[in-house]
Amino acid sequence: MKRLAVLFTILAVLAAALLLLLPKGTQKRQPDAEHQIILGFSQLGSESGWRIGNTRSVIAAAERAGVQLMFKNAEQKQENQIDAIRSFIAYQVDVIAFAPIVEDGWDNVLREAKDAGIPVICSDRSVTLEDESLITGFVGSDFYQEGVRAGEYLIKKIAGVTGPVRIAEISGTLDSTPMRDRAQGFRDTIEKDARCQVVYSESGDFLRSKGKEVMVDVLATAGEVDVLYSHNDSMTLGAIETIEQHGIVPGKDIIIISVDGEQGAIDLLKQGKINCVVECTPMLGDVIMTLARRLAQGETIDRVTYSQETVFTDFDEDMLSIPPRGY
Ligand code: GYE
C-alpha cells in the first residue's frame, strides 16, 4: 500500500512537471459555455464625441450580452493602458479587448497576455507587432479607405477648377492607426491630380481644442488655403470656430472635409459649413461581444472584421433625411 502511495505521488509530481514544461502560450484556459464571460476592456480616453459614443456602445452591448465588463479608461496615456491590461491578466479575465492609442510598444504586455492564455482583440485601432499571433483579431474601420474616400470626394468637388488646390491637413494623434492610414489613403488618392498640394499638416490630437488652435496656425502661416482635411469631427468643429472668427465662410471659402460622422458634423453639413463627412462608426460594442464569446468558447475568429461605412456630402440630394447618428 505504502509503495502504491509513493508511486502515485511520483506520478503526480511528474505530471505537474510536464505541465510546467509545456510552452507557456499553450496552457489554454478551459473553454466553458456556462460561466459568465469576463471581458477586460481598455479604452484609450475620452478625446472626442466619437470616443464617448464608442464607450457607450461597449458598455451597453456588454449589458445586453450578459458579459461581465471590467472597463478602464486610460485618459490618453499608453502607460495606463499597459497597466490596465496587466490588471486584467492578474484578474484572469476570459478575453481582453483594447483600443490602442498608438501602434507601437505593445509587444511585452501582449506577450504576457498570451502566456497567461488570454486572447486579445484590438478594437478600433491596431498595433504593429513582431509576433502577429499576440493578438487574435481586429475589429473596427478601414482607415485607409476612409482617406481614399476623402480624396475621391475632393477630386469630384474640384472638377473644372484650374490652378493649384492648396490643402491644409489637421491630423489625428501621431502614430495612431487612423492618423497614419487616413493621411496615406488621402495622399495616395490625390497625388494622381497635379493640382492638389498638401501645403500644411499638423496633428490636432483628435481634440476639439487643438483643432481650434492648429487652425489659427494654418491661417497665420500657410497662406491661402482652399481645403481643410481634418482627421476627425471634433477637430473640425474647433477649426470651424477659428475660421468663422476670422470672417472666412467655412464650406464656401474653404472646402471642409471631415471624418467620423458625429451628429454635430452632420448638422454643419446640412447648414453648408462642412462639405464632406466620411463616416467612421464607433458602434463596435455588439461585434466585440460576439467575438469575445467565440474566443471564450475556444473558437477562432477572423483576423479582421471591418465596419460597413459610407460618405455624406454636399452632393447628396437626400442629405436632409440622414437619420440621427447616436454619437
Ligand atoms: O476618428 C476620433 C477618435 O480611433 C477611429 O479616434 C478612432 C478615432 C476617431 O478620437 O474621433
Side-chain angles (χ1 to χ4, degrees), residues 153-154 157-158 161 164-170 186 197 199-200 211-212 214-230 235-236 238-258 268-269 271-276 314:
Y153 165 81
L154 179 58
K157 182 72 179 172
I158 59 173
V161 171
V165 174
R166 295 168 55 81
I167 304 160
E169 175 182 56
I170 306 183
F186 183 71
Q197 301 169 3
V199 296
Y200 180 101
K212 189 172 173 184
V214 173
M215 196 65 211
V216 173
D217 192 50
V218 172
L219 296 179
T221 65
E224 200 156 302
V225 295
D226 306 299
V227 180
L228 170 67
Y229 171 43
S230 158
M235 297 188 297
T236 308
I240 286 177
E241 278 182 56
T242 300
I243 292 171
E244 290 187 320
Q245 279 165 7
H246 282 72
I248 303 168
V249 185
K252 299 219 160 49
D253 299 337
I254 300 182
I255 297 169
I256 313 275
I257 304 174
S258 188
L268 291 190
L269 175 73
Q271 292 168 31
K273 295 185 180 186
I274 294 181
N275 305 83
C276 169
D314 53 7

Side-chain angles (χ1 to χ4, degrees), residues 47-48 50-51 124-125 143 178 182 206 232 260 280:
E47 74 285 2
S48 62
W50 189 100
R51 183 70 47 203
D124 153 36
R125 301 183 184 176
F143 301 126
R182 285 174 186 164
F206 286 128
N232 86 341
D260 273 358
C280 175

